[in-house]
Amino acid sequence: MIEIIHTVGYFITMNPGYAGRKELPENLKVLFRGVMMMVPDREIIMKVKLASVGYNAIDTLGKKFNILYRLCEEQLSKQKHYDFGLRNILSVLRTAGNTKRQEPKSDEEMLLYRSLRDMNLSKLVSDDIPLFNSLLTDIFPNVKSVPKVNYPVIEKGVREQVEKKRLIYQDTWILKNI
């Protein structure tokens, strides 16, 4: 729930449950009028944004996206850095839109699958990765293979830094950097 406090000509947003935010002190609270808002319908936001970036199968993809994030919130371990809220949703949808523009003839379900996978795997702790991959596979059963996207500049840069720092190269570093 978001609490918005209205002043003359200004809006001060307080979101006490969000990391780094604090409650207003009681002596300041009495000076403001509180306004309550309802939680936004994430599925509608997902469908509209998918349509705006060029996807056609917005009903099924929006529903799958919403279910995936709801299941992630329920089933993955509780980590402070996990964010399955609107900020992350919009970030994933921007990436999915860029991917759709780069590969307009590709299967939309595969493109969204790849965007969801690539945008979330690097943030997950190692214990949650198998569960996340399993959820993705269950929600997108028609996606059999996802072509690997190469990022030669990033891969070369990671390899150079590994050699420079005299570390032992790990393939997972590439995914984390991408």
Side-chain angles (χ1 to χ4, degrees), residues 11 22 47 50 56 62 74 88 110 131 139 161:
F11 283 98
K22 299 197 181 329
K47 288 178 183 180
L50 281 168
N56 295 315
E74 292 171 2
N88 181 267
M110 183 275 300
L131 178 56
I139 292 172
Q161 288 300 313

Side-chain angles (χ1 to χ4, degrees), residues 59-117:
D59 289 328
T60 58
L61 294 178
K63 182 173 273 202
K64 288 180 179 197
F65 191 173
N66 190 38
I67 290 170
L68 174 68
Y69 268 32
R70 193 178 71 239
L71 290 173
C72 285
E73 289 173 332
E74 292 171 2
Q75 295 183 15
L76 296 181
S77 65
K78 305 300 178 219
Q79 303 290 326
K80 279 188 170 187
H81 66 279
Y82 284 3
D83 177 19
F84 298 105
L86 285 177
R87 182 178 302 155
N88 181 267
I89 289 168
L90 293 175
S91 178
V92 170
L93 289 168
R94 267 191 305 277
T95 302
N98 291 336
T99 306
K100 175 72 172 164
R101 281 187 290 282
Q102 291 170 358
E103 303 175 41
K105 302 270 191 250
S106 295
D107 177 44
E108 290 183 345
E109 200 164 304
M110 183 275 300
L111 293 175
L112 183 61
Y113 176 100
R114 188 170 70 200
S115 296
L116 286 163
R117 182 196 65 195

Side-chain angles (χ1 to χ4, degrees), residues 79-176:
Q79 303 290 326
K80 279 188 170 187
H81 66 279
Y82 284 3
D83 177 19
F84 298 105
L86 285 177
R87 182 178 302 155
N88 181 267
I89 289 168
L90 293 175
S91 178
V92 170
L93 289 168
R94 267 191 305 277
T95 302
N98 291 336
T99 306
K100 175 72 172 164
R101 281 187 290 282
Q102 291 170 358
E103 303 175 41
K105 302 270 191 250
S106 295
D107 177 44
E108 290 183 345
E109 200 164 304
M110 183 275 300
L111 293 175
L112 183 61
Y113 176 100
R114 188 170 70 200
S115 296
L116 286 163
R117 182 196 65 195
D118 292 350
M119 293 288 293
N120 288 295
L121 270 184
S122 64
K123 300 169 190 168
L124 300 177
V125 296
S126 58
D127 290 343
D128 287 336
I129 290 173
L131 178 56
F132 180 77
N133 285 331
S134 174
L135 290 172
L136 265 177
T137 304
D138 290 347
I139 292 172
F140 293 92
N142 298 333
V143 177
K144 299 298 180 207
S145 66
V146 180
K148 183 182 183 298
V149 178
N150 292 319
Y151 300 94
V153 174
I154 294 174
E155 291 177 23
K156 181 182 176 206
V158 170
R159 286 187 186 278
E160 287 173 0
Q161 288 300 313
V162 166
E163 290 173 14
K164 182 179 173 183
K165 306 273 186 194
R166 298 180 187 190
L167 300 172
I168 298 171
Y169 179 80
Q170 302 287 326
D171 287 330
T172 55
W173 293 348
I174 296 292
L175 178 62
K176 290 282 185 184

Side-chain angles (χ1 to χ4, degrees), residues 22-43:
K22 299 197 181 329
E23 285 273 350
L24 270 181
E26 292 300 321
N27 60 343
L28 286 178
K29 276 186 183 180
V30 298
L31 300 173
F32 301 105
R33 177 177 53 123
V35 177
M36 296 303 214
M37 300 178 75
M38 57 190 265
V39 177
D41 187 341
R42 296 191 314 183
E43 188 172 336

